[in-house]
Every structure is written in structure tokens, then in C-alpha cells.
Amino acid sequence: MTNLREKNSTRIICIILLISLTFIAIFPLLWAITSSLRPDTEIYKYALPFQWHTFIPVKFTFDSYKLLFTKFQFQKPIWNTLVASFVTVILSCAVNSVAAFGFTFFRFKGRKILYALVLVSFMVPFESIAIPLYKVVYQLNWINTFCGIIVPGLADGLVLFLFVQFFSSVPSGLFEAARIDGASWWQIYLKILLPISKAVIITAALMVFINQWNSFLWPLLVAHGRNIRLIQVALSDFTAEHVTLWSSLYAASVVSALIPLVLFLPFQKYYVEGITSGGIKG
């Protein structure tokens, strides 16, 4: 009887702890959603002490969302970011999977050193290479173009690492049999390897998409024109020198957070599977 009570007490404590952690995690999003649905004058009026009106507006209004897509034309940065993100996902998965295929199935001089350099590349802070990279993009006349936004982010050491880890776990006998049957390396890559790599491809795609969607420094440097700006840079439109349009800023933040969330949730099972398959092999 005592053991049963102890188990129940432990379970209750765990449930309370999980609920508390969940609330802490979603609190910023709840605050942003409720703040986007109330006038600016009401946002901080009920902030402290906590009460029902902290999360439930006294006056519901969708004016901030209307202003977002009429005055600020926020649909343009959303479209630019979607285009840049999806193109980056497709090209990055293609480039990194082909590179991983080469590292996994071909033996050449300097292979281990080159692979080690690739792994080191994703540990280097982007801020340390932003200026040299900007000079290269400037010399190529890619400022305020999608090429300048997309191309520098295609080769990703972490994504390549995930592909290498997964490809290394595939039985080599499968490819030897295909080679004996006369299949070329491109046929093996396209018709055998890619179809069984769904989990790692989705994982890599989600990682690349989220990184591109949340990118701020690089788009700020190379895509500052109003017609090419991405969503994180466009958030600065709501902050002026002497005033901040808080409700519109919160509305834009909610939109920028919900779009990747909606895309991530249906694929979270494959994301976990892809991370796990790479982690077990490593």
C-alpha cells in the first residue's frame, strides 16, 4: 500500500512538473497571440499582477492583422522567405546528399581530412565568416538577389554529417549486388539510396528550412531592399525611433512562428527518426 502511494505521489509530482515546464515553454507564444488581439494601450495594462485579462483581452480586435497585410504588405516578406526556404531545402538536400554519397562509398586520397574539415565547418560561428562571405557575394553582384540569400547556405556540414551517418548504416552488400547487375553509381544513388532515405531527407529538410526561415544577420546584409527582404528583417518595420507598434509587431511575430510550426508538426515523427538513426550510428 505504501509503495502504491509513493508511486502515485511521484506520478503527481511529475505531472505537475511537466505542466509547469509546458506553461513556461508556451508562455511567450501565448503572450504574443493575446497581445496581437488587443489594442496597444491594453498590452501592458494587465501584465502584473497576473489575472485573467493577462491572457484574455478586454477588447478583442484584429486590427493589427489587418494593418499587417494592408499598410505593411507583410505578405511580400512571407512569400520571399517561403521561396528562399523551399529552394534552399531542395538544393541543399541535393548537394549534401551527393557529397555524403561520395564520402561514404568512394575512397580517395585526403578523404578523412576533407571530411574532418567539413565537420569543423558547422562548428564555426557564422558571424566570424559573414564579412568575407559578403565580399564574395558583392563581387558576384548578388546583393539583393535570391542567389545571394540561397547559395551561401547550400553546403551545410551538419546536414552532410546526417546523410553520411545514415548512408554508412546501409548494408554495403545491397550496392555490391546492384553493381554486379550493371547499375551505375547514379542509378544506385537515385533508385536505391534516396527511396530508403525518407527519414533523413525530411530531417535535413526541416533543419535547413528552420535555419533559413529564422535567419536574420545574413538576409540583413545581402537582402535589405524592400522587394527582397525576408520575414525576420521585415519585423523591424514595426519599430521606429520614438514609437513601437506593439500589437502589429506581436501579430507579425505570431505569423512568423506559426508557419514553420504548421510545417514541422506533421513531420516530427520522421524528424526524430532521422536524428536517432544518425545518432545511433555516430
Side-chain angles (χ1 to χ4, degrees), residues 152-170:
L154 294 183
D156 191 311
L158 181 57
V159 173
L160 187 145
F161 172 76
L162 287 177
F163 276 110
V164 169
Q165 294 300 98
F166 179 80
F167 291 169
S168 299
S169 66
V170 179

Side-chain angles (χ1 to χ4, degrees), residues 44 57 139 141:
Y44 294 106
Q139 291 173 353
N141 293 321

